[in-house]
Amino acid sequence: MTSTLKQLMARGTTYGMNIYSTASMPIEVAGNWGLDFVFIDAEHTSLGVDRDMEKLILAAKCSNIHSLVRVRGTLDWDIRKALEMGASGVIIPQVHNAEQMRSIIRSSKFPPMGRRGGDSSVRSANYAGPNFDWGTYTQAENERTVIVPMAESYEFFDNIDAILDVEGIDAVHFGPADYSLSRQLPVDYRLGNPEVLQRLELLIEKCHARGIQVMVPCFPAEGETAKRLLAMGSDMLLMGSDLSWLNQAGHSIAAVREQLQ
């Protein structure tokens, strides 16, 4: 790929989609249609940070689309392995405080930013191939990798300033469903609850003041919703998922069957 994900982010709005299956096909299709990134989920699926994940990261590379891996939590092993496999970045769920955020940076960045463990026999180091140099490699990795904590709990917003002040955050992903669950509110991806909408507005304000972008699910994945989110200041839009598009096709088929009965 000619541009890193960070470079695309710096140019303007980026568009992606969630991947919940273990199949490479949806990623290749997303690349064919010119999306900027895929959000590969290892938190709520059967995927681990393993050979199945490696296959999906390679599918993204072959399809000229960036891969962000949502790891299982603030696990040093998951974060490091996803980046070593060649993912463009990691998304970390359930970040509640600044200490968690500092741990994420320690795991994902080489010194002087963090304490990421290193090995040259990995894809991100080009397997110590031609002209490999440790200094060049670690600096390039620190610049390349995109770190995205998730704001999906009332605790995140209780500690929002301390979390966002941790150096090394590139974007924050707002999770309206888990935020609603943490507050025992009805789940509504359309942001119909005033409290949930206010939290997104606050997140955008505080992130933009620090040069941090905001990633938001666009639901429903249509033009009017996207325009609304962009007008609010959202930077990275998730335009549905492989599962949601399959469900939409299923709904259409069911509607046709009803008409024909």
Side-chain angles (χ1 to χ4, degrees), residues 71-206:
V71 294
R72 294 175 290 178
T74 54
L75 304 172
D76 175 88
W77 186 91
D78 271 13
I79 293 170
R80 184 178 68 251
K81 289 283 284 186
L83 298 176
E84 287 177 342
M85 286 180 182
S88 300
V90 287
I91 298 169
I92 305 92
Q94 299 296 334
V95 176
H96 303 312
N97 56 59
E99 181 48 45
Q100 281 181 292
M101 194 65 241
R102 285 189 286 269
S103 176
I104 291 162
I105 298 302
R106 280 194 297 269
S107 301
S108 59
K109 300 294 185 181
F110 288 110
M113 291 185 69
R115 292 297 303 275
R116 173 177 160 184
D119 196 303
S120 60
S121 60
V122 295
R123 181 172 295 106
S124 60
N126 199 27
Y127 304 107
N131 303 315
F132 175 78
D133 172 76
W134 271 106
T136 302
Y137 166 59
T138 55
Q139 180 179 347
E141 279 294 279
N142 280 355
E143 293 173 355
R144 176 188 75 87
T145 52
V146 175
I147 309 304
V148 186
M150 291 194 68
E152 54 178 348
S153 66
Y154 68 83
E155 292 97 335
F156 184 100
F157 288 93
D158 287 346
N159 299 299
I160 187 169
D161 288 309
I163 293 171
L164 296 181
D165 283 342
V166 176
E167 183 182 0
I169 302 172
D170 298 293
V172 176
H173 174 42
F174 181 61
D178 272 328
Y179 176 79
S180 297
L181 291 173
S182 79
R183 291 278 294 116
Q184 300 181 58
L185 300 171
V187 173
D188 178 11
Y189 277 102
R190 298 172 187 264
L191 306 175
N193 185 287
E195 178 180 332
V196 178
L197 180 62
Q198 187 273 335
R199 286 293 181 263
L200 175 56
E201 292 170 340
L202 177 67
L203 181 66
I204 291 171
E205 175 189 343
K206 287 187 175 289

Side-chain angles (χ1 to χ4, degrees), residues 33-62:
W33 285 99
L35 272 71
D36 300 299
F37 66 93
V38 284
F39 174 134
I40 305 173
D41 186 45
E43 183 192 12
H44 294 294
T45 70
S46 60
L47 282 170
V49 184
D50 51 19
R51 283 182 292 181
D52 286 331
M53 178 64 72
E54 182 180 39
K55 176 186 72 174
L56 301 190
I57 292 171
L58 286 173
K61 285 183 173 292
C62 289

Side-chain angles (χ1 to χ4, degrees), residues 4 10 15 24 70 85 108 133 145 166 240 243 256:
T4 67
Y15 298 87
S24 61
R70 177 158 67 180
M85 286 180 182
S108 59
D133 172 76
T145 52
V166 176
L243 181 58
V256 170

